[in-house]
């Protein structure tokens, strides 16, 4: 394999996540497997309509011819070879120690590992991850090793010695049936997951681990003890209430709880006796992460997932529409059931993602132990990505064919490249420290101001991407394949709607299943869809953090979706089929406005806030030179958008439509 071929495979969508190159209606395939071969292994019912399921299949309808070798795009290549260099240089120049504002943000910088450079480790959220990378690396290696050791000494043969379920007696081996072996594998994995999670939770949160377990227990009781009709409402009320309670009480410190319920007593010497000292003493054992409530938001999503999956299973268990199809099932056996009511025939060891999520687990799977193993699954506990309870149970029973050593190794290399990129940014571009110091914005040129905001957003994107990819890598090494959270680079987005499908993708899919579709989705008109978007982003803002700035961010995102929705109604693509180039240019103009609005909303929500945004905007548009720069910036964005369009068209020519 040549170096170029290796790079293509390293940065292919299939390496990132097979969900991007395989239809959600089809089972995952092994890395590098020919799609036609993969399809031939499936029952006839699962190959129907799969022509566009894999990336190597026929182009999607409406895919445009390639423009990569046109004169127009050669001009774009020239822009890409020069403008990004100037963008980086603008922030590098204002990060030098000779800059007038350097003294204001210098205290926020730390000693770096690159000679002669300080590092901008001023973002507290990412600093918590960055400072603990050596310990996380040890954990990444120790957890799979301990699982293998556990499997080696404790009943691993109970789910590897599998016999065929063919109707013929020939070829039988001594061992368990596939179904029993899968149940044994689930039992084996859950046993280890619960035990490791208990140790992991105590190490992370100390005594507060018992607070986490109490919340989990109460949520389990909401799902299993209340009358069925009250479960959905009670689940939402309980878990949203927990979000508020965790925030307002700051994790329920026992010293504060004791102060509320235990009266103080006056000693004989006339002083007030301390009845809460024991509470403060226990609080001092807070583990590696004493503020457990800050990271509990991701667990809340899993609690809701379990409760609603269990609730929906009660409606489906009575009359399941699933008929299990097993490899090796003879044609005679299938023919014997030809007169039975038509049911969906599935291989439970090779389900599509849609089936893994939507098909209820067995009634006996909704136990407190399985629930604990899922909610506290160590590789995904701190930050996700999010898998649903049904999907977790399915993958514990059967390892996905897409989880291979080669793909996991390539994914690990991509993670390493992202980590190195972040380190270079933090050592040479001090955008975060400058924005935190709130310097005199008038010292900067409009170009420098815009680049400070732009690279602020890029560092925000990287600081979320890196932990998500680290924990997903850990999960892949452990044999569980969660969705990839980041589909595209932050700079490869022009649509507000598509952006949110690809940013924190597992959360987006969770919202679709548990919020957006249950409240009506987009199937009841555009006005109702906008109202549903508002409800969704209000929940997302509160879920991230309970403060006004993020609420404003959520409402701004909804407001900025409106122009895109209105424009798609006023300029439908079907009316421009005879003028594809004119429509592409028109969409490019609209996309530039979308990009500017998305940047503004995210700067408010995650970087400089409203006041900081006002300073940036005033510095850019407050002079004639600033307006000239703004026009040039819009032209640059237009070039970038046209390349984004062509990237998506090239994917369509490969039979891939990511919808983002």
């Amino acid at each position: 394999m040549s170096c170029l071929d290796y790079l293509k495979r390293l940065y292919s969508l299939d390496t990132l996540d097979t969900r991007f190159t395989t239809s959600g209606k089809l089972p995952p395939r092994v890395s590098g497997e020919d799609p036609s071969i993969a399809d031939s292994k499936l029952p006839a019912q699962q190959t129907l309509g799969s022509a566009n399921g894999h990336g190597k299949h026929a182009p999607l309808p409406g895919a445009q011819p390639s423009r990569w070798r046109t004169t127009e795009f050669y001009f774009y290549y020239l822009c890409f070879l020069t403008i990004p260099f100037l963008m980086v240089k603008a922030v590098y120049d204002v990060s030098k120690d000779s800059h007038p504002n350097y003294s204001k943000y210098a205290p926020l910088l730390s000693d770096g590992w690159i000679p002669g450079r300080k590092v901008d480790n001023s973002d507290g959220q990412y600093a918590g991850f960055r400072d603990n990378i050596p310990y996380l690396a040890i954990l990444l290696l120790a957890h799979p090793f301990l699982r293998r050791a556990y499997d080696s000494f404790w009943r691993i043969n109970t789910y590897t010695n599998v016999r065929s379920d063919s109707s013929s007696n020939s070829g039988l081996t001594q061992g368990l049936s596939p179904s029993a072996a899968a149940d044994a594998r689930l039992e084996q994995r859950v046993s280890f997951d619960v035990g490791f999670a208990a140790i992991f939770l105590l190490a992370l949160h100390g005594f507060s681990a018992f607070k986490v377990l109490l919340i989990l227990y109460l949520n389990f009781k909401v799902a299993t003890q209340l009358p069925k009709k009250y479960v959905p409402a009670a689940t939402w009320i309980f878990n949203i209430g927990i979000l508020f309670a965790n925030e307002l009480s700051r994790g329920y410190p026992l010293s504060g709880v004791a102060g509320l319920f235990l009266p103080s007593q006056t000693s004989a010497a006339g002083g007030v006796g301390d009845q809460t000292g024991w509470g403060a003493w226990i609080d001092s054992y807070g583990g590696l992460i004493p503020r457990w409530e800050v990271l509990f938001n991701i667990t809340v999503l899993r609690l809701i997932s379990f409760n609603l999956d269990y609730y929906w299973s009660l409606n489906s268990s009575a009359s399941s529409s699933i008929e299990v199809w097993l490899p090796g099932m003879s044609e005679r056996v299938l023919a014997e059931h030809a007169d039975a009511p038509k049911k969906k025939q599935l291989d439970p060891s090779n389900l599509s993602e849609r089936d893994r999520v939507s098909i209820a687990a067995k009634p006996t799977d909704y136990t407190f132990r399985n629930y604990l193993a899922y909610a506290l699954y160590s590789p995904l506990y701190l930050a996700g990505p999010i898998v649903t309870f049904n999907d977790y149970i399915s993958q514990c029973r059967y390892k996905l064919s897409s989880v291979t050593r080669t793909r996991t190794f390539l994914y690990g290399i991509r993670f390493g490249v992202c980590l190195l990129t972040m380190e270079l940014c933090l050592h040479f571009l001090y955008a975060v420290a400058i924005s935190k110091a709130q310097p005199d914005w008038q010292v900067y040129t409009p170009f420098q101001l815009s680049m400070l905001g732009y690279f602020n957003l890029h560092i925000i994107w990287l600081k979320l991407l890196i932990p998500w990819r680290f924990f997903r890598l850990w999960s892949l090494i452990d044999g569980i394949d969660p969705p990839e959270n980041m589909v595209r680079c932050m700079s490869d987005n022009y649509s507000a709607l598509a952006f949110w499908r690809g940013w924190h993708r597992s959360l987006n899919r969770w919202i679709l299943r548990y919020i957006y579709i249950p409240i009506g989705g987009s199937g009841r008109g555009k006005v109702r869809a906008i109202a549903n978007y508002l409800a969704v982003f209000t929940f997302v803002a509160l879920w991230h953090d309970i403060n006004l700035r993020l609420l404003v961010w959520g409402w701004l995102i909804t407001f900025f979706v409106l122009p895109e929705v209105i424009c798609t109604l006023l300029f439908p693509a079907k009316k421009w089929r005879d003028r594809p180039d004119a429509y592409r240019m028109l969409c490019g103009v609209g996309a530039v406005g979308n990009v500017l609005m998305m940047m503004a909303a995210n700067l408010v929500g995650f970087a400089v806030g409203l006041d900081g945004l006002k300073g940036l905007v005033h510095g850019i548009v407050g002079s004639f030179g600033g307006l000239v720069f703004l026009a040039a910036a819009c032209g640059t964005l237009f070039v970038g958008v046209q390349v984004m369009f062509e990237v998506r068209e090239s994917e369509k020519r490969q039979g891939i439509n990511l919808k983002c």
Side-chain angles (χ1 to χ4, degrees), residues 12-133:
S12 70
L13 289 171
D14 190 69
T15 295
L16 190 60
D17 192 341
T18 57
R19 294 169 178 85
F20 299 149
T21 55
T22 305
S23 169
K25 300 177 182 178
L26 294 174
R29 58 187 173 86
V30 178
S31 177
E33 184 177 15
D34 186 278
S36 60
I37 297 175
D39 289 346
S40 68
K41 298 177 182 178
L42 305 177
Q45 291 84 342
Q46 289 187 326
T47 60
L48 295 176
S50 66
N52 293 327
H54 297 294
K56 297 182 182 179
H57 280 210
L60 297 179
Q64 298 293 316
S66 174
R67 297 185 179 88
W68 291 120
R69 297 181 182 274
T70 62
T71 303
E72 175 190 355
F73 272 76
Y74 283 122
F75 170 72
Y76 296 161
Y77 301 152
L78 178 62
C79 295
F80 269 77
L81 288 173
T82 56
I83 296 176
F85 170 78
L86 297 176
M87 295 167 66
V88 174
K89 185 177 183 300
V91 183
Y92 176 74
D93 287 343
V94 300
S95 300
K96 293 179 178 178
D97 55 10
S98 58
H99 193 272
N101 276 335
Y102 182 80
S103 60
K104 293 184 178 180
Y105 62 83
L108 298 174
L109 305 179
S110 311
D111 293 331
W113 56 268
I114 297 179
R117 297 299 302 179
K118 295 281 188 177
V119 61
D120 181 0
N121 199 30
S122 59
D123 185 289
Q125 186 180 21
Y126 183 70
F129 175 84
R130 183 179 183 273
D131 295 343
N132 288 290
I133 286 177

Side-chain angles (χ1 to χ4, degrees), residues 222-377:
V222 167
T224 57
Q225 298 299 314
L226 290 180
K228 187 175 75 171
K229 63 180 180 179
Y230 298 124
V231 169
T235 293
W236 284 107
I237 292 171
F238 175 80
N239 283 283
I240 292 178
I242 285 294
L243 289 177
F244 277 90
N246 287 353
E247 178 72 18
L248 297 176
S249 69
R250 296 188 173 273
Y252 322 104
L254 289 185
S255 57
V257 174
L260 287 175
F261 293 99
L262 294 179
S264 59
Q265 296 179 357
T266 303
S267 67
V272 177
D274 182 9
Q275 299 297 316
T276 62
W278 61 272
W281 176 76
I282 294 177
D283 289 335
S284 66
Y285 293 90
L288 299 174
I289 306 177
R291 293 205 61 193
W292 63 274
E293 73 278 5
V294 175
L295 300 170
F296 192 73
N297 291 13
I298 197 79
T299 304
V300 164
L301 301 181
R302 288 188 282 265
L303 303 192
I304 294 172
S305 174
F306 172 83
N307 283 20
L308 294 185
D309 280 2
Y310 174 70
Y311 168 76
W312 289 326
S313 76
L314 299 177
N315 297 328
S316 64
S317 58
S319 56
S320 176
S321 61
I322 305 302
E323 179 177 286
V324 173
W325 175 89
L326 295 174
M329 186 179 288
S330 67
E331 295 295 330
R332 182 177 65 81
V333 172
L334 294 174
E336 290 175 355
H337 295 83
D339 297 331
K342 298 300 180 184
K343 296 182 178 180
K344 188 175 183 181
Q345 295 178 353
L346 297 173
D347 177 2
S349 66
N350 198 29
L351 294 175
S352 69
E353 184 186 31
R354 181 174 298 184
D355 288 332
R356 294 198 310 272
V357 170
S358 61
I359 296 175
K362 296 179 181 179
T364 54
D365 289 336
Y366 295 94
T367 63
F368 185 67
R369 193 179 67 139
N370 289 355
Y371 162 72
L372 281 181
Y374 163 68
L376 303 177
Y377 180 57

